[in-house]
């Protein structure tokens, strides 16, 4: 539910929760950018949004249309005047609810909203283009930790090529655009040492949820385990993991305390818990526990990177630092590079915030900076997955 008034937003959310079926969840957003992020994470059945936001442009599209495409579901709008209905529908809403005069919302208004939301979900599920989208949801997928041969991957890729992309009102559904570097993709460097990469470690923060999506979607077997710290609150780390698991060929999961890491699997640190890694017999084991904030962050990238330096070593671990505010991860990445780790950093042109990659690059922790779209190919080449 999206509205810029905190008082009205809370009153409406509380009122809806009293009437909605048991087990329903209502997530709130105050602005289009926040709504876009939460829609991608929560994948709601329906979005209820203030008509005042209908004309706002986001990523080159009207807000309602963009949100409907991201969730592949309906948007129901509300506003103070009946005449707003036409504009709301033209902007991409599937229905429009009129607020009571004077803004004095009551139980009848809540009931009307709930009935319209339920009707919108039903109507939307019956539309032909949503049926077609649901029929095309499958993609090649491997089991967690399994090894896929090159021939197996080529066969799966060929099968995927016969599937049409999901569409909504004839518009292809894609992830939000990411800034592109004005330079051509850089060829991944060769690193010396001849050591086989047994672990990939990635740190990211502001803008990282989208950057991780761009990188992980392009990774293909056979790859070593991947451990990721993204600055993110609890619950959101699980939702992010689930979304990325749906998008990617490799398996993506929220890390759990005691996980033994497996090939072709990415582990995202749970919100409010530091993640560390250590050897355990012939494998490697994760520890995820609450702890004091490091660089004002929990989980912290430096905590993960430091555990790699102490417990795993250098030449066999590939370190990557992506977009983010501050300098978390820079010192740990430098320690890794000094031990012989190949290290990559996202370049300024494609970062949402060029903070963490800048700090790492300026202190000498990054062996080479790359545009975001060149990082996955570099990982594949260095880790031997290509």
């Amino acid at each position: 539910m999206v509205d810029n008034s905190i008082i009205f937003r809370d009153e409406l959310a509380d009122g809806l929760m009293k009437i909605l079926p048991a087990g329903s969840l209502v997530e709130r957003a105050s602005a289009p950018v926040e709504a876009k992020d939460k829609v991608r994470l929560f994948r709601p059945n329906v979005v209820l949004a203030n008509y005042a936001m209908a004309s706002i442009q986001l990523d080159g599209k009207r807000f309602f249309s963009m949100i409907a495409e991201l969730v592949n579901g309906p948007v129901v709008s509300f506003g103070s005047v009946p005449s707003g209905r036409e504009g709301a529908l033209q902007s991409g809403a599937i229905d429009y609810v009129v607020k009571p005069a004077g803004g004095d919302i009551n139980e009848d208004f809540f009931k009307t909203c709930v009935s319209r939301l339920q009707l919108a979900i039903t109507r939307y599920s019956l539309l032909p283009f949503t049926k077609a989208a649901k029929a095309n949801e499958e993609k090649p997928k491997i089991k967690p930790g399994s090894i896929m041969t090159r021939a197996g991957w080529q066969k799966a890729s060929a099968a995927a090529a016969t599937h049409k992309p999901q569409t909504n009102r004839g518009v292809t559904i894609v992830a939000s655009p990411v800034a592109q570097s004005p330079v051509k993709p850089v060829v991944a460097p060769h690193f010396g040492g001849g050591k086989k990469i047994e672990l990939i470690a990635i740190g990211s923060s502001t803008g990282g949820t989208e950057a991780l999506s761009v990188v992980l979607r392009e990774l293909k077997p056979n790859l070593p385990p991947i451990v990721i710290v993204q600055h993110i609150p609890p619950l959101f780390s699980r939702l992010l993991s689930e979304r990325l698991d749906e998008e990617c060929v490799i398996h993506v999961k929220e890390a759990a305390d005691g996980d033994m890491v497996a090939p072709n699997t990415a582990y995202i640190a749970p919100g409010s818990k530091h993640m560390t890694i250590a050897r355990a017999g012939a494998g490697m084991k994760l520890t995820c526990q609450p702890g004091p904030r490091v660089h004002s962050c929990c989980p912290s990238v430096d905590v993960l990177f430091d555990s790699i330096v102490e417990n795993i070593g250098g030449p066999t671990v590939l370190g990557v630092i992506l977009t983010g505010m501050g300098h978390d991860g820079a010192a740990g990445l430098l320690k890794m590079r000094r031990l012989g780790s190949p290290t990559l950093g996202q370049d300024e042109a494609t970062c949402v915030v060029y903070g963490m990659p800048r700090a790492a690059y300026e202190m000498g922790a990054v062996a080479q900076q790359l545009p975001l779209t060149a990082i996955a190919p570099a990982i594949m080449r260095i880790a031997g997955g290509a």
Side-chain angles (χ1 to χ4, degrees):
M1 187 268 294
V2 192
D3 190 85
N4 58 356
S5 168
I6 186 170
I7 296 176
F8 179 79
R9 187 171 66 246
D10 290 346
E11 187 177 357
L12 179 55
D14 292 343
L16 293 177
M17 284 299 294
K18 293 177 182 178
I19 302 174
L20 286 167
S24 300
L25 296 175
V26 176
E27 182 58 33
R28 311 167 200 194
S30 60
V33 173
E34 182 186 9
K36 185 189 77 170
D37 291 341
K38 289 190 173 182
V39 160
R40 286 185 60 82
L41 286 171
F42 286 98
R43 297 292 177 89
N45 299 106
V46 62
V47 175
L48 180 64
N50 190 331
Y51 171 58
M53 298 180 179
S55 61
I56 291 177
Q57 295 284 322
L58 195 63
D59 295 339
K61 297 179 180 178
R62 285 191 175 184
F63 173 63
F64 287 178
S65 298
M66 184 209 67
I67 290 296
E69 290 173 17
L70 285 178
V71 75
N72 195 22
V75 174
V76 175
S77 180
F78 60 86
S80 302
V81 294
S83 59
R85 178 178 179 81
E86 183 178 351
L89 298 182
Q90 289 178 349
S91 297
I94 201 170
D95 203 349
Y96 180 80
V97 183
V98 181
K99 290 168 56 177
D104 184 19
I105 59 178
N106 50 39
E107 187 175 353
D108 288 340
F109 177 70
F110 298 141
K111 289 180 179 179
T112 300
C113 284
V114 169
S115 65
R116 297 290 186 86
L117 292 172
Q118 293 173 329
L119 179 61
I121 293 171
T122 301
R123 287 171 55 196
Y124 199 87
S125 67
L126 296 176
L127 292 173
F129 59 79
T130 56
K131 288 182 179 179
K134 290 176 182 177
N136 289 307
E137 283 179 351
E138 294 183 2
K139 63 178 182 302
K141 191 71 177 178
I142 60 173
K143 294 181 180 179
S146 64
I147 300 296
M148 180 180 279
T149 64
R150 183 181 303 276
W153 167 251
Q154 291 173 341
K155 181 178 180 181
S157 298
T162 64
H163 287 223
K164 296 180 180 180
Q166 293 183 343
T167 57
N168 182 7
R169 297 187 178 89
V171 180
T172 301
I173 297 178
V174 295
S176 301
V178 179
Q180 299 297 315
S181 171
V183 299
K184 295 181 179 180
V186 181
V187 176
H190 285 287
F191 292 89
K195 298 285 187 178
K196 181 176 177 60
I197 298 298
E198 60 177 342
L199 183 70
I200 300 167
I202 301 175
S204 56
S205 185
T206 312
T209 57
E210 290 301 312
L212 287 171
S213 178
V214 171
V215 172
L216 295 183
R217 283 202 312 264
E218 298 303 315
L219 296 183
K220 307 173 183 67
N222 293 316
L223 287 171
I226 303 169
V227 287
I228 300 169
V229 168
Q230 160 70 39
H231 296 159
I232 199 166
L235 178 62
F236 279 73
S237 53
R238 176 177 62 81
L239 294 168
L240 174 63
S241 302
E242 291 173 354
R243 171 169 70 84
L244 291 175
D245 188 54
E246 292 177 0
E247 295 179 355
C248 301
V249 175
I250 64 171
H251 181 46
V252 183
K253 74 181 293 287
E254 182 184 46
D257 189 47
D259 274 348
M260 296 294 294
V261 298
N264 301 317
T265 306
Y267 301 82
I268 297 180
S272 294
K273 290 184 180 180
H274 290 304
M275 182 170 72
T276 58
I277 189 167
R279 295 194 183 277
M284 291 176 280
K285 183 178 181 179
L286 296 176
T287 298
C288 301
Q289 293 291 333
R293 291 177 175 271
V294 177
H295 308 305
S296 302
C297 303
C298 183
S300 163
V301 182
D302 265 331
V303 169
L304 173 63
F305 286 178
D306 285 348
S307 74
I308 289 171
V309 170
E310 295 170 9
N311 304 319
I312 308 301
T316 62
V317 183
L318 167 60
V320 182
I321 196 86
L322 300 177
T323 176
M325 188 178 298
H327 57 88
D328 186 28
L333 194 67
L334 179 60
K335 296 174 187 176
M336 290 171 60
R337 189 180 183 195
R338 285 174 174 169
L339 286 181
S341 289
T343 58
L344 301 171
Q346 186 177 346
D347 69 359
E348 182 175 7
T350 60
C351 279
V352 174
V353 178
Y354 186 55
M356 288 162 48
R358 179 197 292 273
Y361 181 75
E362 290 182 348
M363 68 170 56
V366 174
Q368 186 171 14
Q369 288 195 122
L370 297 169
L372 180 60
T373 53
I375 288 178
I379 291 174
M380 295 288 293
R381 180 172 180 175
I382 297 167

